[in-house]
Amino acid sequence: MMLGCFSALVVFPAHAADTFEPKFSRLRLVTPEAPSTPTPSAPAEPATLPTQLPPILETAYFQQVSALDYLSPIEQAIVAETNRLRTNPSSYADELALYEAYFNGTRLELPGLPPMETYEGFAVVEEAIATLRDTEPLPPLQPSVGMSLAALDHVLDMGKTGDGGHYGTDGSTPFDRLNRYGQWDASPGNRAGENLSYSPLTLDDPLDLARWHVLQLVIDDGFPSRGHREALLRPEYQVTGVACGDHPVFGMMCSITYATEYLEASEE
């Protein structure tokens, strides 16, 4: 979904798949009209996702990555949430169905958050649900130090300029950045990709923001290619890197890299 100015892009090597460079989304938070007659204010609702979702901290996936000191808690949670999605897509589909109650046409109205306008409404969520229910369980992704450093380079670079997209200010591609800290072999069958996400949303539980990033990628509202969803569910991928940081235009930016195989610099 294009919610809260959330935009996600993905690229793959030209020999492996098409290159996706979809449009960059604009802010789509909806400002409610002020009532003509003031009414007593009700206690503020907590800014949260549906409470039926399992807390990330309590999942086994988070425990598996929580000791990785090169990842921040939100970065650890993105790895954990991605693996929860990949290893049990049918269960994740059931959780996506919970969002139907919060849609009003194309508008998503979650407790404690401004209404957010989507491009496709709940229809794209239903499509994601169907895709997940047709997807066999996939192996979890193993986090990589070098791939995370490559992702961090791009987050810091874009954080200085306020730009977006996959090319660095030095002209680097995601694959150039991967090879700074290790080696990604571009031979046929060894794929790599990058998802970028942006969000100014503030949730009461910061780890819910990690879930929010993954949700946007798997739903993929407004991007007909569904390339971001495809990247999350690509069975060939085995390793991942994650970095998040401040972005002067879009609040927070996360770069998530994927590869079939990756050789860390320490292993070369």
Side-chain angles (χ1 to χ4, degrees), residues 44-253:
E45 294 182 90
T48 183
L49 302 183
T51 56
Q52 301 95 320
L53 301 180
I56 288 181
L57 277 172
E58 297 179 9
T59 66
Y61 307 95
F62 187 82
Q63 300 304 316
Q64 292 165 4
V65 297
S66 60
L68 300 178
D69 57 7
Y70 62 87
L71 296 177
S72 69
I74 190 171
E75 293 161 358
Q76 293 171 354
I78 287 176
V79 175
E81 188 71 358
T82 299
N83 284 339
R84 200 170 68 85
L85 163 70
R86 286 174 61 89
T87 58
N88 197 342
S90 180
S91 177
Y92 212 90
D94 293 340
E95 294 174 13
L96 288 185
L98 298 173
Y99 286 84
E100 183 174 13
Y102 299 95
F103 272 91
N104 180 7
T106 56
R107 185 177 294 189
L108 180 63
E109 300 171 348
L110 287 168
L113 293 173
M116 291 169 280
E117 190 68 32
T118 69
Y119 287 100
E120 301 176 69
F122 189 67
V124 68
V125 185
E126 289 184 302
E127 178 194 296
I129 290 170
T131 297
L132 292 178
R133 287 180 174 159
D134 286 342
T135 299
E136 294 295 323
L138 300 167
L141 302 176
Q142 299 302 313
S144 159
V145 176
M147 292 177 65
S148 297
L149 290 172
L152 180 60
D153 277 1
H154 197 47
V155 170
L156 294 176
D157 189 21
M158 297 296 100
K160 294 175 183 176
T161 63
D163 292 335
H166 296 285
Y167 290 94
T169 56
D170 59 357
S172 63
T173 68
F175 319 109
D176 295 328
R177 295 188 290 272
L178 287 176
N179 286 329
R180 291 173 184 168
Y181 301 101
Q183 183 178 357
W184 170 67
D185 181 3
S187 60
N190 189 13
R191 308 184 72 155
E194 177 183 73
N195 273 341
L196 303 179
S197 59
Y198 309 81
S199 176
L201 291 179
T202 300
L203 298 173
D204 284 5
D205 181 351
L207 295 188
D208 271 348
L209 193 55
R211 173 167 284 153
W212 189 251
H213 281 251
V214 175
L215 281 169
Q216 306 314 300
L217 296 172
V218 72
I219 292 171
D220 221 1
D221 177 56
F223 294 102
S225 70
R226 310 300 190 221
H228 323 104
R229 182 192 303 163
E230 181 183 355
L232 281 170
L233 299 175
R234 190 174 292 282
E236 299 97 323
Y237 286 156
Q238 300 181 44
V239 286
T240 187
V242 183
C244 298
D246 293 336
H247 191 280
V249 177
F250 298 105
M252 173 180 279
M253 172 183 175

